[in-house]
C-alpha cells in the first residue's frame, strides 16, 4: 500500500510525501507521530490494490492507533470463536 500525504510545519512550509507500507497500523502511526511532533497533516490518501481512500485528518491527534486496532482485532477474534 502507498500512503500519500502533505504536512505543514509550524512556519507553514508544506511538503508532500509518498511512502510504501506493508502494514496499515504502522502507516497510521507514522501520521499520528508526525502530528505529535507539531506537523499539521493537510492531506492523506491511502492506495492499496487499486483502491484508494482519503483518510480523515482529525483522526491523527498524536496518539498511536496500532494498539487500539490490535485490541479491536482481538475482540473480533474472541467474538468469532
Amino acid at each position: 500500500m502507498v500512503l500519500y500525504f502533505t504536512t505543514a510545519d509550524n512556519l507553514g512550509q508544506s511538503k508532500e510525501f509518498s511512502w510504501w507500507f506493508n502494514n496499515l497500523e504502522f502507516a497510521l502511526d507514522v501520521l499520528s507521530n508526525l502530528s505529535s511532533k507539531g506537523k499539521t497533516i493537510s492531506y492523506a490518501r491511502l492506495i492499496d490494490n487499486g483502491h484508494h481512500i482519503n483518510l480523515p485528518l482529525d483522526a491523527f491527534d498524536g496518539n498511536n492507533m496500532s494498539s487500539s486496532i490490535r485490541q479491536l482485532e482481538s475482540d473480533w477474534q474472541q467474538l468469532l470463536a
Side-chain angles (χ1 to χ4, degrees):
M1 77 186 67
V2 179
L3 177 65
Y4 293 95
F5 60 98
T6 303
T7 65
D9 61 20
N10 294 336
L11 300 174
Q13 298 292 323
S14 291
K15 290 188 180 183
E16 295 180 6
F17 299 92
S18 62
W19 210 344
W20 177 264
F21 289 94
N22 291 324
N23 181 295
L24 174 63
E25 293 88 349
F26 184 72
L28 299 177
D29 281 349
V30 165
L31 292 175
S32 285
N33 190 9
L34 288 169
S35 179
S36 74
K37 295 186 184 308
K39 304 291 185 189
T40 300
I41 300 166
S42 58
Y43 174 81
R45 174 178 266 195
L46 186 66
I47 299 174
D48 189 32
N49 292 326
H51 301 281
H52 59 86
I53 185 169
N54 290 334
L55 300 174
L57 303 179
D58 292 341
F60 306 108
D61 58 2
N63 296 312
N64 282 340
M65 297 182 187
S66 57
S67 59
S68 296
I69 292 171
R70 281 193 297 273
Q71 180 61 50
L72 184 58
E73 179 183 15
S74 175
D75 292 347
W76 287 340
Q77 289 176 352
Q78 287 178 0
L79 289 171
L80 293 173

